[in-house]
Amino acid sequence: MAVFITGRARVTLALIGIGAVAAVSACAPSPQTSSPPSPSPSRTTDAPEPYAGPIVFVGDELDAFALAPEEIVGIVPDATDVGDPSPVLEQISDGGSLPADPPICDALYAEQSLGSVGARTIEWQVPTDPTNGFGRMTIMQFADEAHAEGRMDQLLQAAEQCAEFVKEGTVSFDAVIPEASENTRAFAGSLIDAALDWRSFSAFASTGNVIVQLWQPFSGDRDFDAEAAALLLRERAEEARSGLVEELTENPPVAETDPSGDPGTAWSDWQVGVGGVGPLRLGDSVESAVAAAGEDAQVVEPEYDGGPWTLIAPAEAGTILVRPVEAGDAVGAITVGSDRSLGDTVGDGAALPSRGDIRLGAPVADAMAAYPGGTVVEVVSSSDHFYAVTTRDGQVFRFQADREVLEEGATIVGITVEDATARTPLVFG
């Protein structure tokens, strides 16, 4: 591992001053009786206080981290057909191979988007590589700053400790770690796993609730300018952060109003909001949430430890799933309908809670139009497909589809609200 001290601090000062002074003199017939000029009212414009809240990027704000095609070619000279940022995220989510020694080195093998709540991807082709003819940049949004910082801490620990480690066999990771700037961290390096015949170059940068990964698998012997890649990603992250602060200074974030529901009203009158579903509240105990569903609801206990409680609507019109946080009793997520694309039944949308005007059975395209800026997620291992929209406070709304979200005719089979800040982070070791 090589460590280069190449960081630079950058401070931008903006001074705005607007003033107007006008003086009008009135002349009397005699100088002895003239009056001093009366100042006209002056108008001043106060600059807004700079935004000082959490640095949380959501939705299309992730595009600010994207590298231009020529910048990607500068890192991967053989790259062609560099695409535009896409809101489609494919997750494999199928586990891994033998554990690494030391365990923290598995952070370098992890599917980094696991645990994220939104993403933008840029893909390109590398036709000169007969085995690995593609590459990808993934801009990952986490629920809050703490989750992104925790993951980046793990990655940096791996970069520092895993110059050589054991997995299937002996593996090396040659890392370059530039000095961190005030708010942004970055590193890059090449991983060589001879036992698996696997080679890949990765560059990471992180600020606020975002981690960016540029990933390029390769065959044979390849040299990448790790220092230049890390510095470029770090610089772009700094620019994105500065731009977000400017935007939120001019347009301070406004939290969504949560329409809590009356336990005595029909489920169809309840709304899926930032705080839960009707009277079922995120963060409450599962017992309280189940009780709030009303006496007419049938209650089915979880089939396995940590699984969801199932509430069945009167006349079996549909279900609400109440899922606790991992290893806890607080409600972490609530789903109206099914949380799987391959569920057995679809509830009656007219009898169940809705997200605004969007109900079960509606086209997923309606949800995308009503709540733009989200991420289309495809989970390969489970064949799950959903459209996810997030808030700046860490809530995630998932519109579960019965098939691929972008496929014509895809309909909503489930609507979930989750407090993603309560998720348990990945643990290595």
Side-chain angles (χ1 to χ4, degrees):
M1 177 184 72
V3 179
F4 291 80
I5 309 301
T6 58
R8 66 175 185 270
R10 184 174 60 183
V11 178
T12 302
L13 300 176
L15 301 175
I16 302 176
I18 301 175
V21 177
V24 178
S25 299
C27 297
S30 170
Q32 289 81 2
T33 60
S34 62
S35 303
S38 299
S40 62
S42 62
R43 183 177 65 184
T44 61
T45 300
D46 294 330
E49 286 293 323
Y51 174 77
I55 302 300
V56 178
F57 293 82
V58 296
D60 292 335
E61 293 168 354
L62 299 176
D63 289 351
F65 291 85
L67 296 183
E70 59 271 19
E71 292 174 317
I72 291 172
V73 172
I75 298 172
V76 185
D78 296 339
T80 63
D81 299 324
V82 179
D84 296 325
S86 167
V88 178
L89 174 66
E90 181 184 76
Q91 293 182 323
I92 306 302
S93 190
D94 64 349
S97 55
L98 292 177
D101 182 20
I104 190 61
C105 300
D106 270 328
L108 300 172
Y109 283 81
E111 187 175 6
Q112 299 303 331
S113 68
L114 297 181
S116 67
V117 297
R120 294 294 182 269
T121 59
I122 301 173
E123 298 184 338
W124 55 87
Q125 302 299 312
V126 184
T128 57
D129 190 326
T131 304
N132 301 291
F134 65 96
R136 180 183 303 121
M137 179 179 185
T138 309
I139 305 162
M140 294 163 283
Q141 170 195 343
F142 289 81
D144 54 22
E145 292 174 301
H147 279 76
E149 289 172 0
R151 179 72 64 82
M152 193 63 175
D153 286 344
Q154 295 171 329
L155 288 166
L156 280 167
Q157 290 172 25
E160 293 167 348
Q161 300 176 29
C162 301
E164 186 172 294
F165 61 98
V166 176
K167 198 166 171 67
E168 302 280 351
T170 300
V171 185
S172 66
F173 184 67
D174 185 16
V176 173
I177 309 175
E179 181 182 11
S181 65
E182 182 179 1
N183 299 301
T184 305
R185 297 180 292 174
F187 74 94
S190 292
L191 185 145
I192 308 295
D193 187 331
L196 293 177
D197 192 22
W198 178 252
R199 295 165 173 79
S200 65
F201 171 77
S202 291
F204 291 88
S206 177
T207 193
N209 71 320
V210 170
I211 294 178
V212 179
Q213 179 187 19
L214 185 148
W215 176 70
Q216 181 59 64
F218 63 93
S219 306
D221 296 326
R222 286 288 301 273
D223 289 325
F224 295 89
D225 192 337
E227 181 186 8
L231 290 176
L232 178 59
L233 290 188
R234 190 187 73 178
E235 179 181 9
R236 188 55 40 80
E238 291 171 346
E239 292 171 352
R241 183 187 183 100
S242 177
L244 182 68
V245 170
E246 290 180 7
E247 172 61 27
L248 296 183
T249 296
E250 293 297 327
N251 301 288
V254 178
E256 177 181 327
T257 301
D258 185 43
S260 59
D262 184 344
T265 59
W267 283 16
S268 59
D269 293 333
W270 295 353
Q271 283 285 312
V272 182
V274 290
V277 176
L280 284 63
R281 304 281 85 194
L282 296 172
D284 283 357
S285 68
V286 171
E287 181 180 2
S288 297
V290 169
E295 296 180 355
D296 294 335
Q298 299 180 51
V299 179
V300 179
E301 295 189 5
E303 297 180 356
Y304 54 91
D305 187 30
W309 291 69
T310 302
L311 309 177
I312 303 175
E316 299 187 352
T319 60
I320 294 178
L321 306 178
V322 179
R323 185 178 294 277
V325 298
E326 185 175 342
D329 182 56
V331 177
I334 305 172
T335 298
V336 176
S338 178
D339 60 358
R340 297 293 306 275
S341 293
L342 302 178
D344 295 331
T345 60
V346 178
D348 178 4
L352 295 172
S354 63
R355 170 71 173 150
D357 295 329
I358 306 300
R359 294 185 177 274
L360 265 61
V364 184
D366 288 359
M368 297 175 72
Y371 302 100
T375 302
V376 175
V377 182
E378 303 172 357
V379 185
V380 174
S381 61
S382 61
S383 296
D384 275 314
H385 306 275
F386 57 87
Y387 176 66
V389 185
T390 61
T391 72
R392 219 175 287 278
D393 292 322
Q395 292 95 4
V396 181
F397 295 93
R398 289 193 296 276
F399 297 90
Q400 199 80 27
D402 63 343
R403 65 197 82 174
E404 291 187 15
V405 170
L406 300 180
E407 185 177 326
E408 185 177 356
T411 60
I412 298 170
V413 297
I415 304 174
T416 298
V417 59
E418 177 194 5
D419 177 9
T421 66
R423 290 182 181 179
T424 300
L426 297 183
V427 177
F428 303 101

